[in-house]
């Protein structure tokens, strides 16, 4: 089954053709980063206008690279939420129009479920139950992915951030330090020249439950830099990154032990962070767990993960009606623990 998938929930215009939810025939991602960099963050109206201009060419490119025509496809999918409403509308309206005109089913996909399924594209044998650390610009969640009835995949929420998302903390601290946008990669490269133990920033909620809190850490960085104007910014970036990674890794490790998970999986843009990737690998090695760490391109927003999820959802629930609205605050379908 071949699915054309479209992702436009934020500032990446992406299209992909995915076969049987596992094999990526093409994946094209056009980042609008440069367009938003001068504003220091994503400007929703600018993002949706750019999606509108870029999307037809991106879809054509994905179809051409997959050597696919409309007759080769079995469905057209798009992210319907969560995300920026205008951006979601562009991708979803386009996908519905392609589906309607080609006589194919439409599948509306939850962006966060897409991040959870990204690992399947590179590790088709992903063993469940696995604990997933989902860390993006808008979300920070610890989820246990497990097999339920009729082989359905269930998501059990173990914990989430009570204030800022991890990616948001990277972006805000980078902006404060004048490192630019997007903040994650900027902090990561600044941190390369600094000492992670130079400044003892707080590790909020460490050792307690599975929820996260990053807003106090951000305030701590601001206070420290204001009180120490001559401080080496590389040390600040490295110490901040270390504080975030320490908390993420400590919680995912404890969650894996408590749930009897066989693997730890990472997803979302922050999972592109080298320090986090290396620390998760080390924990898995020492605890006898499998580490599923998707490539950086599969951690950040892309349409292949939407195609993988659409394949699963189409078989589990059938198509989405063309009248279904976009849902900027869409939540993951969770099972209660
Ligand atoms: O998943 P994503 O591409 O978009 C959302 O759904 O939010 O995640 C974007 C977030 C941004 O906050 C960005 O700063 C962060 O992921 N990020 C990183 C890195 N690359 C992207 N954070 C830390 N280190 C990185 N290398
Ligand atoms: Zn995302």
């Amino acid at each position: 089954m071949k699915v054309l998938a479209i992702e436009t929930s934020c500032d990446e215009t992406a299209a992909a053709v995915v076969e049987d939810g596992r094999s990526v025939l093409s994946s094209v991602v056009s980042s609008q980063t440069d367009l938003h960099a001068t504003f220091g963050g994503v400007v929703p109206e600018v993002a949706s206008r750019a999606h509108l201009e870029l999307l037809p060419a991106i879809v054509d490119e994905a179809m051409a690279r997959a050597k696919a025509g409309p007759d080769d496809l079995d469905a057209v999918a798009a992210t319907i939420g969560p995300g920026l409403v205008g951006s979601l509308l562009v991708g979803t309206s386009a996908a519905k129009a392609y589906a309607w005109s080609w006589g194919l089913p439409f599948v509306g996909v939850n962006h966060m479920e897409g991040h959870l399924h990204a690992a399947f594209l590179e590790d088709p044998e992903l063993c469940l139950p696995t604990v997933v650390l989902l860390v993006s610009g808008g979300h920070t969640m610890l989820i246990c992915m497990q097999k339920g009835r009729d082989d359905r995949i269930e998501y059990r929420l173990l914990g989430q951030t009570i204030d800022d998302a991890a990616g948001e903390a990277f972006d805000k601290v980078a902006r404060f330090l004048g490192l630019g946008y997007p903040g994650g990669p900027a902090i990561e490269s600044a941190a390369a020249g600094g000492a992670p133990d130079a400044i003892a920033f707080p590790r909020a909620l460490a050792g307690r439950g599975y929820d996260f809190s990053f807003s106090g850490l951000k305030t701590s960085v601001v206070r420290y830099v204001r009180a120490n104007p001559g401080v080496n910014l590389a040390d600040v970036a490295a110490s901040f990154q270390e504080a975030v990674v320490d908390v993420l890794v400590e919680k995912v490790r404890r969650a894996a032990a408590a749930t009897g998970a066989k693997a730890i999986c990472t997803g979302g843009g922050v999972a592109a962070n080298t320090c986090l990737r290396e620390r998760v690998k080390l924990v898995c090695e020492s605890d006898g767990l499998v580490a599923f760490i998707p490539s950086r391109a599969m951690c950040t927003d892309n349409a292949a993960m939407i195609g993988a999820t659409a394949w699963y959802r189409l078989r589990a629930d059938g198509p989405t009606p063309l009248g279904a609205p976009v849902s900027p605050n869409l939540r993951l379908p969770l099972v209660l623990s």
Side-chain angles (χ1 to χ4, degrees):
M1 183 191 283
K2 286 185 186 145
V3 177
L4 165 66
I6 292 173
E7 154 65 38
T8 61
S9 65
C10 190
D11 62 341
E12 254 90 37
T13 314
V17 178
V18 178
E19 188 165 20
D20 294 336
R22 296 288 183 270
S23 169
V24 183
L25 304 186
S26 66
S27 178
V28 184
V29 181
S30 170
S31 174
Q32 304 174 6
T33 304
D34 294 346
L35 210 54
H36 301 285
T38 41
F39 302 104
V42 179
V43 183
E45 186 54 33
V46 172
S48 42
R49 282 167 193 262
H51 286 310
L52 204 54
E53 278 171 24
L54 291 166
L55 190 59
I58 300 289
V59 168
D60 288 350
E61 178 76 21
M63 294 287 279
R65 283 196 205 169
K67 298 186 175 53
D71 292 346
D72 301 311
L73 298 176
D74 298 281
V76 183
T79 303
I80 54 164
L84 303 169
V85 66
S87 294
L88 290 168
L89 275 169
V90 174
T92 303
S93 307
K96 287 175 177 176
Y98 285 121
W100 183 78
S101 63
W102 293 338
L104 296 171
F106 165 71
V107 190
V109 174
N110 182 316
H111 180 84
M112 302 314 287
E113 191 172 24
H115 277 302
L116 289 173
H117 280 249
F120 283 115
L121 289 167
E122 291 174 343
D123 294 290
E125 303 309 321
L126 186 71
C127 47
L128 301 181
T130 183
V131 169
V132 189
L133 177 65
L134 196 48
V135 269
S136 71
H139 295 82
T140 300
M141 294 180 175
L142 253 184
I143 288 163
C144 182
M145 229 168 138
Q146 58 198 36
K147 278 254 167 74
R149 260 192 290 155
D150 305 327
D151 257 5
R152 274 175 170 257
I153 299 174
E154 293 180 343
Y155 313 111
R156 189 152 56 89
L157 181 67
L158 304 172
Q160 60 189 326
T161 183
I162 56 169
D163 41 53
D164 291 352
E168 194 180 350
F170 271 96
D171 293 336
K172 286 178 175 170
V173 167
R175 193 177 314 152
F176 170 72
L177 297 178
L179 296 174
Y181 166 85
I187 296 257
E188 178 166 356
S189 47
D197 56 357
I199 307 155
F201 288 127
R203 272 76 170 151
L205 306 179
R208 280 189 286 144
Y210 299 116
D211 281 342
F212 303 89
S213 166
F214 294 109
S215 84
L217 172 59
K218 176 195 64 197
T219 311
S220 246
V221 172
V222 172
R223 283 212 187 112
Y224 188 90
V225 173
R226 286 194 178 140
N228 301 273
V231 67
N232 176 357
L233 287 190
D235 284 346
V236 177
S239 303
F240 162 77
Q241 177 176 269
E242 187 77 357
V244 175
V245 170
D246 269 359
V247 176
L248 294 175
V249 171
E250 184 270 323
K251 289 194 189 247
V252 76
R253 181 180 208 172
R254 227 166 2 89
T259 54
K262 298 174 187 153
I264 292 178
C265 176
T266 53
V270 181
N273 183 277
T274 307
C275 177
L276 177 61
R277 298 164 78 85
E278 282 171 0
R279 292 275 298 279
V280 169
K281 263 186 226 154
L282 283 178
V283 159
C284 287
E285 271 164 29
S286 74
D287 293 2
L289 299 166
V290 178
F292 285 115
I293 302 177
S295 64
R296 284 180 177 75
M298 207 48 83
C299 290
T300 48
D301 289 351
N302 65 85
M305 68 184 197
I306 303 303
T309 314
W311 172 77
Y312 168 71
R313 277 288 155 208
L314 190 57
R315 292 184 318 151
D317 305 327
T320 308
L322 288 181
V326 296
S327 187
N329 299 313
L330 190 63
R331 289 173 182 269
L332 263 181
L334 298 169
V335 293
L336 299 174
S337 25

